[in-house]
Amino acid sequence: MDKILITGGTGRLAAELKKHLAGEYVGIEHWDFTYPIPVGKYDIILHMGAWTDVAKGEQEPYKVFQTNAYGTFNMILNYKDTPFAYISTEWAKDPISIYALTKYLGEEIVKYHPHHLIMRTLFKPNPFPFPKAYKDQYTQGDYVDVIAKLVADKINSWDRKTNELCYIGTGRKTIFDLAKKTRPNVEPNSVDEWRAKIGNIIPYDYE
């Protein structure tokens, strides 16, 4: 059985992932991976710990960079000999927010690892928790329980030698279409409504 070091172990994705990815988990969910790391022996590193508050990140860019970029560098530096799987975001392709930019920088750092798997994805709580959903924002993402199984499948099929960047999802759709699956009375709104409040930091598309 694999001994897996997982960051961000208290998050929704980690909780669901553990149902599908067998292994002995060593969590460091309450440990700041931007500080010196007590290096141990593991079969795989699963780095999903990140700053994910997109709006707040615009106000505290240094903290976001420290977590998403430098923290990833610190993990890579200390585990350069252990297969490294990294959870990124769909928004990293054309980053327009501090959050997306720092996740993109994290990807670029991970690419220096000799055995890496970068997974771009997006996931929502199940059921969809909001009364409105974007009719003009596209995603390959899905609900967290669905994405967790797909992430586990991808890690299980990875040979831990081939380097890869991939998207994890269930096909192109709008967030509104996704939301209707679990919240039939959800109302459509536009990315422009949110952009008017916080600036142009939310993308329309992942492509």
Side-chain angles (χ1 to χ4, degrees):
M1 180 177 290
D2 283 338
K3 188 174 183 181
I4 303 170
L5 176 62
I6 181 172
T7 65
T10 58
R12 289 191 185 99
L13 182 59
E16 290 292 334
L17 184 62
K18 291 174 184 178
K19 299 176 183 178
H20 304 287
L21 186 63
E24 177 189 349
Y25 284 89
V26 180
I28 54 174
E29 48 280 81
H30 300 299
W31 170 69
D32 189 342
F33 45 83
T34 65
Y35 284 90
I37 298 171
V39 179
K41 180 67 175 178
Y42 306 100
D43 296 299
I44 187 170
I45 307 299
L46 181 51
H47 183 41
M48 61 176 63
W51 177 298
T52 58
D53 189 327
V54 179
K56 189 176 180 181
E58 298 298 304
Q59 309 302 318
E60 301 186 67
Y62 177 74
K63 291 182 179 179
V64 186
F65 177 85
Q66 279 291 103
T67 302
N68 293 353
Y70 177 72
T72 300
F73 168 78
N74 205 26
M75 291 294 296
I76 290 290
L77 186 66
N78 285 278
Y79 290 104
K80 58 182 179 296
D81 297 322
T82 306
F84 199 97
Y86 177 67
I87 298 294
S88 187
T89 173
E90 289 183 335
W91 296 2
K93 184 176 185 296
D94 294 304
I96 60 173
S97 64
I98 297 297
Y99 161 71
L101 176 60
T102 56
K103 291 297 287 183
Y104 168 76
L105 292 174
E107 289 185 357
E108 292 301 297
I109 290 166
V110 171
K111 287 177 183 178
Y112 282 92
H113 192 287
H115 307 297
H116 66 260
L117 171 63
I118 299 169
M119 293 169 280
R120 288 179 175 173
T121 193
L122 178 147
F123 54 89
K124 297 294 184 182
N126 188 354
F128 193 80
F130 308 111
K132 295 182 179 182
Y134 297 135
K135 63 183 180 182
D136 52 1
Q137 185 185 65
Y138 289 85
T139 182
Q140 289 194 47
D142 211 301
Y143 293 102
V144 63
D145 51 320
V146 175
I147 294 299
K149 185 178 186 306
L150 295 177
V151 168
D153 289 345
K154 183 62 183 180
I155 292 174
N156 284 331
S157 65
W158 180 41
D159 64 10
R160 303 187 185 181
K161 296 178 181 179
T162 305
N163 296 326
E164 185 177 354
L165 185 155
C166 64
Y167 284 84
I168 302 293
T170 54
R172 184 174 173 82
K173 67 189 79 66
T174 66
I175 294 294
F176 179 67
D177 289 334
L178 176 62
K180 284 193 298 182
K181 292 181 178 180
T182 59
R183 190 166 187 155
N185 63 340
V186 68
E187 297 180 4
N189 68 342
S190 172
V191 172
D192 292 333
E193 296 177 37
W194 192 236
R195 283 185 163 201
K197 296 177 182 179
I198 63 173
N200 296 340
I201 62 173
I202 304 294
Y204 296 102
D205 214 330
Y206 61 90
E207 293 185 330

